Amino acid sequence: MATDLETGLLRAFATAARAGSISRAAAALGHTQPSLSQRLQKLERAVGQRLLHRTASGVVLTRAGEALLPYAERILALSAQARTVTGQVLAGRCGVGLIEDLTAAPLPQALADFAHANPGSTLELVSVPGPAMRRAFDTGRIQLALVDPTYLPEPPRWTVRLPLAWSAAPGVDLTRDPLPLVLFSPPCRWRAPVLDVLRAHGRAWRVAFESTSLAGVQAAVRAGLGAAALLATNVAPGTVAPGLPALPEVELGLVRGAATDGDPLVDAVEELLRRLTAVPG
């Protein structure tokens, strides 16, 4: 007989996948590291496959984990929505601004599920460069923005730190000097810290490809042009690049328009974003 997957186990898995580290996920969930490891092992036994590949710098998704993560995120999002909307009808409009790096993660699907579960509400997702994001916020097109906090004038209500990880096609020689890099074009604020890490470890580098687009960077990685620093959730299976210097975390903040205080729909969407990024309440 098939066994239902426990929500708690899926939450442990999704949080570890987003954090890129079992220790960071344990801290976010209020568990000990051994306890969280046991939960992950229990889920792997239930599905019969390894879901996370353990490395010296953290964890990355296996192919099975990559396949399961969107379903885990959807189950957790629907569970959160059920708790939020029980006995409450949500209606109105909410614009949500996301940096492009988050649009490749399961988060947009969770927001789409939220919209389907609340037919009286309208959600608009916006992913544009920093100046355009600020205009969208100032004009009221978006009420919530999960972005680099420096993009917008309002101070963030909360912040989350997400791990970066190296990604490269299997054929790329990561010992090459200088190291070929696939970079996001300026004014990407993650670029300088990545280069600083390489300098601190005495690694020479050269720019093999750069783009303002996440899709462009990922395509260049798949083509074998070089190594790229991506959010851990955007590293495709088979492109984990071991042996390079550990990368810093990057900070995102949730900014909310002051005029939306007390709006039940915006409250619910913010809570959903908080849960999906594993920010303690």
Side-chain angles (χ1 to χ4, degrees), residues 173-195:
D173 181 3
L174 300 177
T175 66
R176 193 184 310 172
D177 188 18
L179 176 70
L181 292 182
V182 176
L183 295 173
F184 287 95
S185 303
C188 174
R189 293 183 68 251
W190 302 353
R191 178 178 170 130
V194 169
L195 299 180

Side-chain angles (χ1 to χ4, degrees), residues 200-217:
H201 285 78
R203 289 298 307 266
W205 51 270
R206 66 176 180 85
V207 178
F209 179 91
E210 66 176 53
S211 172
T212 59
S213 161
L214 173 63
V217 168

Side-chain angles (χ1 to χ4, degrees), residues 99 127-137 147-148 150-153 187:
I99 62 168
S127 181
V128 291
M133 189 77 78
R134 179 163 183 164
R135 287 194 296 273
F137 189 79
V147 294
D148 182 329
T150 62
Y151 281 171
L152 299 173

Side-chain angles (χ1 to χ4, degrees), residues 2 17 29 72 80 82 102 106 112 122 140 148 178 198 210 243 257 266 278 280:
L29 294 171
L102 294 178
T122 300
D148 182 329
L198 292 174
E210 66 176 53
V266 182

Side-chain angles (χ1 to χ4, degrees), residues 114-169:
F114 179 95
H116 287 306
N118 296 276
S121 64
T122 300
L123 293 187
E124 179 184 1
L125 270 61
V126 177
S127 181
V128 291
M133 189 77 78
R134 179 163 183 164
R135 287 194 296 273
F137 189 79
D138 289 342
T139 60
R141 182 182 177 187
I142 59 175
Q143 288 70 50
L144 297 168
L146 189 55
V147 294
D148 182 329
T150 62
Y151 281 171
L152 299 173
E154 300 289 336
R157 291 166 67 92
W158 46 264
T159 60
V160 59
R161 300 190 66 84
L162 299 176
L164 293 175
W166 289 108
S167 179

